[in-house]
Amino acid sequence: MSADYRLNEDVAIITLNRPSRFNAIDTELSRALVESLARAGEEARAAVVTGAGKAFCSGADLAELLEEYENDGPDLGRTLDEVFHPVVHALADCGVPTIAAINGVAAGAGLGVALGCDLRVMAESGSLTSAFTGIGLVPDSGTTWLLPRHLGVARALDFALTNRRVGPGEALSLGLCSQVVPDGELEGSAVAMATRMADLVPDSLVTTRRLIRGSGGMSFEDALAAERVEQARLGKTPEHIEGVRAFMEKRPPNYRET
């Protein structure tokens, strides 16, 4: 395993653990991350994803493809299918909300992992960069879909075409992260944010994620219809009943006991 998994009460903390490779993603790390996200969906109420050492994730581990580069070049389409698409799908489908705690550079596919999380907290040493066009490639791991939804087309193009590093201050102003904290406070701040989300209803949160991400390809009427379906379903749940009762009784809701 090259991803560490631990529970802090009902928050899962998933750490990419290849610090000597700046947490570059290879086949083993991909599988470990997918398994950890599935596990978090089963036994936690929120998850934090971070990196060991000086980087969040430097992207693909090109050393794993060295033999292919020495021949006719790698089949990067296959690599995406086998290594990176499972990770971004696991993030998109995770049964609990996810927070990226960005402790250093998030580059290339690592940027896709960071953007694939629902929220981001950055350390003062953190940075974001696309990096792909610098080596003659296009952004992948969901980045071409996620970046314009975060930034708009013009800023997404500036980010992706120039490959410049965006530091935490600019990332905060652009809405790419929710919070910037000192390096030593990163994990604690991310866990605190995750704990606040864990106090809520995971089904409500992940359904909100799915509706918002899916709305870009919908007409207004289709979005209204999708909202209706989910609201009708959630309105019958014990968690919603508890929320209404707590509101009427002027007390905090206790969703963990429902």
Side-chain angles (χ1 to χ4, degrees):
M1 295 285 285
S2 48
D4 293 337
Y5 179 98
R6 72 184 196 275
L7 277 177
N8 183 327
E9 296 184 354
D10 48 15
V11 173
I13 302 171
I14 302 167
T15 304
L16 313 183
N17 192 13
R18 301 186 72 215
S20 65
R21 302 291 299 165
F22 299 103
N23 302 316
I25 298 175
D26 62 0
T27 302
E28 182 182 1
L29 178 53
S30 169
R31 290 172 180 165
L33 184 51
V34 169
E35 291 171 5
S36 294
L37 289 165
R39 182 177 174 185
E42 294 174 355
E43 63 185 31
R45 295 178 68 90
V48 171
V49 179
T50 192
K54 297 181 178 180
F56 175 76
C57 177
S58 60
D61 189 349
L62 298 181
E64 190 176 44
L65 303 173
L66 185 59
E67 183 176 342
E68 295 182 58
Y69 274 108
E70 291 174 344
N71 293 306
D72 296 329
D75 182 347
L76 293 181
R78 186 193 67 218
T79 300
L80 287 176
D81 286 340
E82 294 178 355
V83 179
F84 295 99
H85 290 173
V87 171
V88 295
H89 281 302
L91 286 167
D93 298 335
C94 187
V96 295
T98 54
I99 297 171
I102 302 170
N103 55 303
V105 68
L111 174 65
V113 172
L115 295 178
C117 292
D118 297 316
L119 297 172
R120 283 149 296 284
V121 179
M122 287 184 72
E124 291 175 342
S125 64
S127 63
L128 308 172
T129 183
S130 178
F132 289 99
T133 61
I135 55 172
L137 296 175
V138 297
D140 63 30
S141 302
T143 308
T144 60
W145 192 90
L146 291 161
L147 264 184
R149 283 163 173 77
H150 283 289
L151 299 176
V153 171
R155 283 177 169 166
L157 282 170
D158 172 64
F159 191 102
L161 295 180
T162 66
N163 298 307
R164 63 188 181 84
R165 286 202 178 199
V166 170
E170 185 179 4
L172 184 64
S173 69
L174 291 173
L176 289 173
C177 70
S178 303
Q179 189 177 0
V180 175
V181 298
D183 288 11
E185 298 176 15
L186 178 64
E187 182 175 305
S189 298
V191 169
M193 181 182 290
T195 300
R196 291 193 294 272
M197 299 184 77
D199 288 337
L200 301 174
V201 181
D203 188 3
S204 169
L205 297 174
V206 299
T207 301
T208 298
R209 171 212 293 154
R210 182 169 53 78
L211 289 176
I212 289 177
R213 288 194 171 186
S215 65
M218 291 182 178
S219 68
F220 182 60
E221 289 302 320
D222 286 343
L224 291 178
E227 291 171 356
R228 183 188 186 283
V229 168
E230 297 301 343
Q231 209 73 308
R233 178 180 67 82
L234 290 167
K236 300 290 187 181
T237 60
E239 290 84 357
H240 172 63
I241 303 302
E242 163 62 10
V244 171
R245 286 176 176 164
F247 176 79
M248 299 299 292
E249 296 168 8
K250 296 181 171 56
R251 61 173 175 83
N254 183 0
Y255 295 123
R256 289 175 174 81
E257 300 299 323
T258 55

